């Protein structure tokens, strides 16, 4: 499946899950859909039929609250063939929790309490290097997650140990739970900070599949330093009335909004 088609399917399924189950964090799921689609269209080496194989690449998904996007891409790529995502999402007694759960195939770590995923990703990256394994480790973090001190401790660790098998992707949609990032806790100049910490840092359009592909291709190449990809995205991408709106960090669509959102996303195919 081409990445553009996959991104559309991820957005449609995330919308369906949030609408039918009255769930939150839709805006952040829509912003990361393109990155996930490209990543799972050939760059993340993992077999959906054998997701625990030791030779797999790892993805540590820090923004676990945007679970609908990750669940959707895993479902579309065949990881969840033994499950019914739409029926079981946030249903009592299932593992489809409102923040991602490692009890499901293809998910390395239960996340959503922000600031944990990158530290674990660094530890796994270091362990793989010590073992001489060639697996690559990706960690997707939200911009709000960069407010956490533990994230910066992990960045120091990655730089110090020259974890060139690690790629950190920041979903930089500029809006976090209580407002604009620049107002809550300004991160700029973010690229300069990453450079000064000893990373290579790429600044890309997080909705351009060409730019995402190019950056991920570079991520898998031989490098001396760990890599940060600042994916500049739009909260609520793909739905006009959701884009750049804090409201959609929490709100689920009503029937009229859902139907309009579906039409808008399908019209962009």
């Amino acid at each position: 499946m081409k990445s553009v088609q996959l991104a559309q399917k991820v957005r449609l399924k995330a919308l369906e899950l949030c609408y039918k189950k009255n769930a939150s964090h839709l805006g952040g799921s829509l912003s990361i859909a393109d990155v996930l689609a490209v990543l799972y269209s050939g760059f993340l080496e993992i077999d959906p039929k054998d997701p625990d194989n030791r030779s797999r690449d790892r993805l540590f998904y820090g923004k676990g609250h945007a679970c609908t996007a990750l669940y959707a891409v895993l479902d579309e790529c065949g990881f969840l063939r033994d499950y019914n995502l739409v029926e079981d999402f946030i249903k009592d007694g299932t593992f489809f929790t409102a923040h991602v759960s490692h009890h499901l195939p293809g998910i390395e770590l239960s996340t959503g309490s922000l600031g944990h995923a990158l530290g674990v990703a660094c530890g796994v990256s270091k362990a793989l290097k010590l073992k001489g394994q060639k697996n690559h480790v990706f960690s997707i973090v939200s911009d709000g997650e960069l407010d956490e001190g533990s994230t910066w401790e992990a960045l120091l660790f990655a730089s110090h140990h020259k974890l060139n098998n690690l790629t950190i992707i920041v979903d930089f949609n500029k809006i976090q739970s209580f407002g604009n990032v620049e107002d809550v806790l300004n991160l700029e100049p973010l690229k300069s900070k990453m450079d000064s910490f000893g990373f290579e840092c790429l600044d890309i359009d997080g909705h351009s599949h060409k730019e995402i592909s190019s950056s991920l291709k570079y991520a898998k190449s031989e490098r001396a330093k760990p890599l940060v990809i600042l994916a500049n995205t739009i909260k609520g991408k793909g739905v006009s009335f959701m884009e750049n709106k804090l409201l959609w960090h929490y709100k689920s669509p009503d029937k009229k909004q859902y139907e309009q959102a579906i039409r808008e996303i399908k019209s962009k195919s």
Side-chain angles (χ1 to χ4, degrees):
M1 188 187 304
K2 292 182 178 179
S3 62
V4 174
Q5 295 172 324
L6 181 56
Q8 183 189 58
K9 289 179 179 291
V10 169
R11 286 193 168 92
L12 291 172
K13 187 155 286 185
L15 276 164
E16 181 181 13
L17 293 171
C18 288
Y19 168 65
K20 289 186 175 179
K21 298 302 179 79
N22 200 31
S24 300
H25 305 301
L26 180 55
S29 288
L30 296 178
S31 69
I32 199 60
D34 293 299
V35 169
L36 285 173
V38 176
L39 189 60
Y40 278 87
S41 294
F43 290 99
L44 188 72
E45 296 182 24
I46 182 171
D47 183 356
K49 296 180 181 178
D50 188 16
D52 295 323
N53 190 295
R54 291 190 177 186
S55 65
R56 73 189 185 280
D57 288 341
R58 270 67 161 187
L59 170 62
F60 292 93
Y61 189 69
K63 47 179 292 170
H65 52 288
C67 61
T68 53
L70 185 59
Y71 290 157
V73 78
L74 291 174
D75 195 38
E76 293 295 336
C77 292
F79 288 84
L80 305 179
R81 60 191 179 280
D82 295 328
Y83 299 82
N84 188 323
L85 171 58
V86 176
E87 180 180 331
D88 291 340
F89 178 55
I90 62 173
K91 182 178 179 180
D92 287 349
T94 75
F95 291 124
F96 285 108
T97 50
H99 291 67
V100 297
S101 169
H102 71 279
H103 292 288
L104 293 166
I107 297 179
E108 302 287 345
L109 183 70
S110 298
T111 58
S113 180
L114 299 181
H116 296 168
L118 184 55
V120 176
C122 289
V124 170
S125 299
K126 178 63 174 176
L128 291 171
K129 286 180 71 71
L130 289 172
K131 293 178 180 179
Q133 293 180 227
K134 299 299 182 181
N135 323 53
H136 199 84
V137 178
F138 293 92
S139 184
I140 294 178
V141 301
S142 63
D143 44 16
E145 199 166 354
L146 296 180
D147 292 356
E148 297 281 352
S150 55
T151 299
W152 293 93
E153 292 175 33
L155 290 167
L156 286 168
F157 181 93
S159 174
H160 176 78
H161 291 282
K162 297 180 173 56
L163 300 180
N164 58 345
N165 58 343
L166 172 68
T167 296
I168 302 162
I169 303 171
V170 180
D171 182 16
F172 200 13
N173 63 34
K174 320 296 190 299
I175 297 175
Q176 57 189 96
S177 58
F178 295 116
N180 294 327
V181 168
E182 64 179 1
D183 297 325
V184 177
L185 191 61
N186 190 20
L187 297 172
E188 298 295 355
L190 187 53
K191 186 179 185 305
S192 296
K193 290 175 182 176
M194 295 299 179
D195 290 337
S196 70
F197 266 55
F199 288 85
E200 287 192 67
C201 187
L202 302 178
D203 201 337
I204 70 165
D205 178 348
H207 300 303
S208 165
H209 287 226
K210 182 178 180 180
E211 290 190 32
I212 298 167
S213 295
S214 178
S215 65
L216 293 178
K217 183 177 180 180
Y218 181 68
K220 299 298 287 283
S221 67
E222 291 292 330
R223 295 177 285 100
K225 298 179 180 180
L227 177 67
V228 172
I229 299 172
L230 298 181
N232 291 279
T233 61
I234 296 171
K235 194 110 171 179
K237 174 67 176 178
V239 181
S240 60
F241 61 88
M242 295 184 185
E243 291 188 354
N244 290 317
K245 298 292 194 298
L246 173 62
L247 178 68
W248 293 98
H249 189 84
Y250 300 103
K251 182 176 169 58
S252 55
D254 60 27
K255 187 174 186 294
K256 183 178 179 180
Q257 291 169 327
Y258 173 66
E259 291 174 349
Q260 180 181 340
I262 293 296
R263 287 195 300 272
E264 289 191 19
I265 289 175
K266 285 185 174 180
S267 72
K268 296 177 174 63
S269 61

